[in-house]
Amino acid sequence: MDDMSAEKLLELNRRFYNKLADPFADSRHQPAPGFSRLLAYLPEGCDSVLDVGCGEGRFGRFLAEEGFDGAYRGIDFSEKLLVAAAARLPADLDSAFRVRNLAAEGALDGLGRFSLIACLAVLQHVPGRERRARLLREMGEHLQPEGRLFLSTWQFLDSPRQREKIVPWEEAGLDPAVLEPDDYLLTWRSGGFGLRYVVYINAAETERLATEAGLRIVDSFRADGREGDLNLYTVLEAASL
């Protein structure tokens, strides 16, 4: 995907999250059910977490409620969501936030290495396979030895209910000819109307991306949503371990 088309998709999602940051954050008061299953895969002695695309800090709040008291760092492209995250996390948690464009090369530069990196419901919003592969590779490079990466992607095409949200690209004034095969435009209607860019990343594509990034899949499972399988969770670590 060329840079101009990618920027249009990024701008579409920027508008969405800036306009609907409050209702979006309000829809995520409770932790996703899949989070609890991730606890079994926390690295031993986990003392630092980087939440890539942390949004309103949902995963950080969950970790704090489960007793995590290490350093939590969150990055996101939406300053409004980062403000919400800072306000909602426990005051005594060592936390800090930065605005970053996750589709840009070097998105994690200067952040250090972490016991755990989480990228939950985020990779699906990065336009262009090459950019997604690069971000996954950079996340792997920022893991400490024996660190782990938690990834989740939205399996909306497997849900008839979610497929009803798909609308033609023309509604956003975009030409589908410049996009990639698994790119979709979906509506949001809770607390306001919005349009979001989402790419469908299934288990096979997740495995291909992981291999290219030098990562090994430790485990994967489906969870969340009314049907209990709306998100694909993947636990990864360096393939050389």
Side-chain angles (χ1 to χ4, degrees):
M1 180 183 297
D2 64 78
D3 290 343
M4 183 177 295
S5 299
E7 182 54 36
K8 288 180 179 178
L9 294 176
L10 290 169
E11 181 57 30
L12 175 71
N13 281 6
R14 285 190 197 101
R15 290 198 304 267
F16 171 86
Y17 285 105
N18 285 332
K19 174 185 175 183
L20 297 167
D22 291 337
F24 178 83
D26 290 342
S27 73
R28 280 150 174 75
H29 277 304
Q30 300 299 319
F35 290 2
S36 295
R37 293 180 62 177
L38 290 173
L39 290 175
Y41 299 99
L42 284 174
E44 185 175 354
C46 180
D47 61 1
S48 59
V49 175
L50 175 63
D51 198 347
V52 176
C54 65
E56 78 303 331
R58 188 185 196 187
F59 188 62
R61 294 196 306 275
F62 168 77
L63 290 176
E65 290 167 0
E66 293 295 327
F68 174 76
D69 60 358
Y72 173 81
R73 302 292 180 258
I75 59 174
D76 202 282
F77 74 91
S78 171
E79 188 171 356
K80 290 189 70 173
L81 286 176
L82 292 178
V83 169
R88 294 174 184 221
L89 281 165
D92 59 350
L93 181 66
D94 175 10
S95 61
F97 303 92
R98 294 188 184 184
V99 176
R100 291 289 174 100
N101 175 7
L102 302 181
E105 186 173 3
L108 310 187
D109 284 359
L111 297 175
R113 294 180 179 269
F114 298 84
S115 302
L116 173 67
I117 295 180
C119 184
L120 304 173
V122 175
L123 198 63
Q124 64 210 25
H125 295 310
V126 176
R129 189 182 189 279
E130 182 179 339
R131 294 172 183 81
R132 293 189 291 275
R134 181 175 63 205
L135 177 60
L136 192 59
R137 183 176 63 252
E138 289 186 11
M139 287 191 288
E141 292 169 351
H142 283 76
L143 287 173
Q144 293 177 0
E146 300 185 1
R148 281 187 169 162
L149 168 62
F150 292 167
L151 182 72
S152 77
T153 55
W154 189 19
Q155 304 301 292
F156 58 93
L157 288 186
D158 294 351
S159 166
R161 179 170 55 88
Q162 299 298 330
R163 288 177 70 99
E164 292 178 357
K165 299 177 181 179
I166 299 172
V167 295
W169 281 105
E170 287 76 9
E171 292 201 16
L174 294 170
D175 180 2
V178 302
L179 306 176
E180 296 181 356
D182 291 318
D183 291 338
Y184 291 89
L185 182 66
L186 277 76
T187 60
W188 170 282
R189 300 180 185 276
S190 177
F193 178 81
L195 295 169
R196 285 190 294 172
Y197 156 71
V198 187
V199 61
Y200 179 67
I201 306 171
N202 61 14
E205 174 63 2
T206 298
E207 185 172 0
R208 285 190 289 267
L209 288 168
T211 299
E212 292 171 19
L215 297 168
R216 181 180 73 87
I217 295 177
V218 176
D219 197 8
S220 63
F221 60 87
R222 298 276 288 265
D224 306 341
R226 297 177 190 174
E227 300 84 0
D229 63 354
L230 196 53
N231 287 314
L232 170 66
Y233 287 84
T234 308
V235 179
L236 303 120
E237 62 186 15
S240 58
L241 290 178

